[in-house]
Amino acid sequence: MKVLFIAPLPPPINGHSLAAEQFHKVLVAKHEVAIVNLSVGSRGDGSVTIGRVTAVLRILLEVLSKRWGADAIYFTISESIAGNLKDLLVYVLCWGSLSRLYLHLHGGTIKRELFDRFPLLRSLNTFFIRRCAGVIISGTSHDEIFDGMIDGSRVHTVVNFAQDNLFVSEAAIEEKFAQQRPLRVLYISNMIAMKGFNELADAYFGLDADSRARIRIDFAGGFDFDDRREAFMTRVESYPGIKYHGKVSDEQKQALFAQAHVFCLPTAFLEGQPISILEAYASGCFVVTTGQPGIRDVFSDGLNGDELSERTASGIGVTLTKLLEQPDRLRETAMRNRRAAGELYQPSRFGAELLRIVELQHRL
């Protein structure tokens, strides 16, 4: 089978590109694949620049030339206005192949930010999407996004995964929690305001001196702008219990997760399904996060960690202070998360489920 693969591949490394890379590995092992890499020239924030316009033109020309003869097309769609306009042009170019086109949505904001705010965009998207072979979402909380746009029987749910190298043994989890001094808290994600990294830092600033001495917070991830990175580093430089690692390699990421007792993602985004939470499970971490719909597909308050009742510095601070006195609960939850990751969030399962869906139309 010939497959046209339209998706971002690393670099840069993020949840979207990691998921695409994992499926690409499975796909090329079995089928002939033509790639249109959406990462090249993309800032990832939907902004319009000369470089981005040039990159989109390159993408469209590649789709135009590579779509011929494709038995199936796999396409990861955007959630920004500019990105959706690009997606609409891709649909036009694939007009004769829409019945073989599978769309994969990795986020959770497209309904609120695009379809609900811009009726014309919703109508245009519906015109094309209802003719597609199917839509893939990461959790059942996103079913409503495509209500009225495509028949529900063609909406498929495939949960995300944790990378193989992040799975640790139960013995390693026991060992790190036996040495729970200080309590290691990890934030690893894009360093953008809505992800909540500032609130986490402010929570640490607001703790009493004794609690700060018992907690270390590691931040990892890239800023979009140098001045914002420098401002954050200036804010935290006088606190020895906070370290900003910048963008990290796979090896650094593995080490940070393996050392962490608590993974904290106080996000305000309508998340699709953060791979970082599943990575925290695989690494044997207790999770502190918000109750976004996409997160709740894989996270239960009290079972996998604590859901923040307030996405504020004071709310996070209260949670961290409480966890300092609950070492047994932290360890037990971390162990439960590791077992869940082994059963539900293996990369092999993710790739196999996507492959089954994309091969479906070809078998009919």
Side-chain angles (χ1 to χ4, degrees):
M1 186 170 81
K2 295 181 179 179
V3 180
L4 175 57
F5 180 91
I6 311 172
L9 292 170
I13 295 175
N14 52 47
H16 194 170
S17 64
L18 282 176
E21 182 181 43
Q22 178 60 33
F23 181 44
H24 177 256
K25 290 177 182 177
V26 173
L27 202 56
V28 297
K30 190 173 180 182
H31 298 292
E32 179 183 342
V33 180
I35 300 171
V36 177
N37 187 357
L38 298 183
S39 283
V40 181
S42 173
R43 286 179 52 85
D45 59 4
S47 60
V48 179
T49 64
I50 293 176
R52 178 60 178 153
V53 171
T54 301
V56 168
L57 290 175
R58 188 269 308 163
I59 287 167
L60 296 175
L61 287 173
E62 283 197 49
V63 171
L64 183 64
S65 65
K66 294 179 179 180
R67 77 190 193 285
W68 301 107
D71 298 302
I73 303 172
Y74 171 81
F75 179 31
T76 62
I77 58 178
S78 174
E79 296 187 285
S80 68
I81 294 176
N84 187 246
L85 293 175
K86 176 262 296 174
D87 292 351
L88 289 169
L89 291 174
V90 171
Y91 299 153
V92 171
L93 294 177
C94 294
W95 173 254
S97 305
L98 291 180
S99 64
R100 302 190 296 277
L101 175 61
Y102 289 90
L103 309 179
H104 196 164
L105 175 68
H106 284 281
T109 65
I110 194 170
K111 181 178 186 295
R112 184 185 70 180
E113 299 299 323
L114 290 186
F115 297 161
D116 290 348
R117 292 176 59 195
F118 305 103
L120 178 59
L121 273 183
R122 177 182 171 85
S123 295
L124 289 171
N125 278 272
T126 300
F127 177 80
F128 292 105
I129 291 175
R130 70 183 182 187
R131 292 170 167 81
C132 290
V135 171
I136 302 162
I137 55 176
S138 57
T140 55
S141 65
H142 297 136
D143 283 343
E144 66 173 5
I145 290 176
F146 296 99
D147 277 353
M149 301 180 74
I150 188 171
D151 187 273
S153 64
R154 287 184 279 151
V155 178
H156 309 274
T157 300
V158 179
V159 298
N160 279 328
F161 65 96
Q163 292 176 277
D164 279 325
N165 67 327
L166 295 176
F167 282 80
V168 301
S169 67
E170 293 190 8
I173 297 171
E174 291 283 2
E175 183 178 354
K176 78 172 174 180
F177 279 95
Q179 303 172 3
Q180 192 179 308
R181 292 292 184 273
L183 181 70
R184 298 288 294 262
V185 179
L186 175 63
Y187 170 98
I188 185 164
S189 187
N190 295 328
M191 301 293 284
I192 53 181
M194 287 188 69
K195 290 284 189 176
F197 73 91
N198 281 316
E199 285 81 358
L200 178 55
D202 289 340
Y204 182 84
F205 301 157
L207 296 175
D208 60 63
D210 178 65
S211 295
R212 285 201 303 270
R214 298 170 63 191
I215 294 175
R216 168 171 171 168
I217 303 182
D218 292 291
F219 290 88
F223 284 87
D224 286 336
F225 301 99
D226 290 342
D227 58 338
R228 295 179 183 176
R229 182 186 69 249
E230 292 165 5
F232 179 72
M233 293 177 68
T234 299
R235 289 185 67 212
V236 304
E237 63 183 358
S238 60
Y239 292 89
I242 291 181
K243 183 171 182 179
Y244 172 58
H245 297 264
K247 292 183 179 180
V248 293
S249 66
D250 284 347
E251 292 76 14
Q252 291 172 308
K253 178 180 174 180
Q254 182 180 8
L256 287 170
F257 267 119
Q259 295 165 359
H261 304 105
V262 176
F263 176 73
C264 186
L265 185 69
T267 178
F269 270 120
L270 281 177
E271 299 280 353
Q273 189 179 91
I275 283 181
S276 57
I277 288 180
L278 307 184
E279 293 173 333
Y281 292 171
S283 301
C285 298
F286 183 101
V287 173
V288 174
T289 190
T290 51
Q292 303 299 336
I295 290 176
R296 285 182 173 171
D297 283 330
V298 294
F299 174 88
S300 295
D301 184 29
L303 181 67
N304 306 112
D306 284 345
E307 182 180 309
L308 293 167
S309 57
E310 294 182 33
R311 186 188 168 273
T312 60
S314 59
I316 298 169
V318 167
T319 297
L320 294 182
T321 302
K322 178 182 68 175
L323 294 179
L324 282 171
E325 310 307 324
Q326 299 178 337
D328 290 341
R329 178 172 174 248
L330 287 173
R331 177 184 53 78
E332 291 166 4
T333 303
M335 197 71 74
R336 182 164 52 246
N337 289 341
R338 170 60 182 84
R339 290 166 183 160
E343 294 173 6
L344 302 172
Y345 307 124
Q346 293 280 359
S348 57
R349 174 212 46 81
F350 174 82
E353 289 188 18
L354 282 181
L355 185 63
R356 176 187 58 79
I357 292 166
V358 171
E359 289 178 337
L360 179 63
Q361 189 68 22
H362 187 62
R363 294 196 300 266
L364 296 178

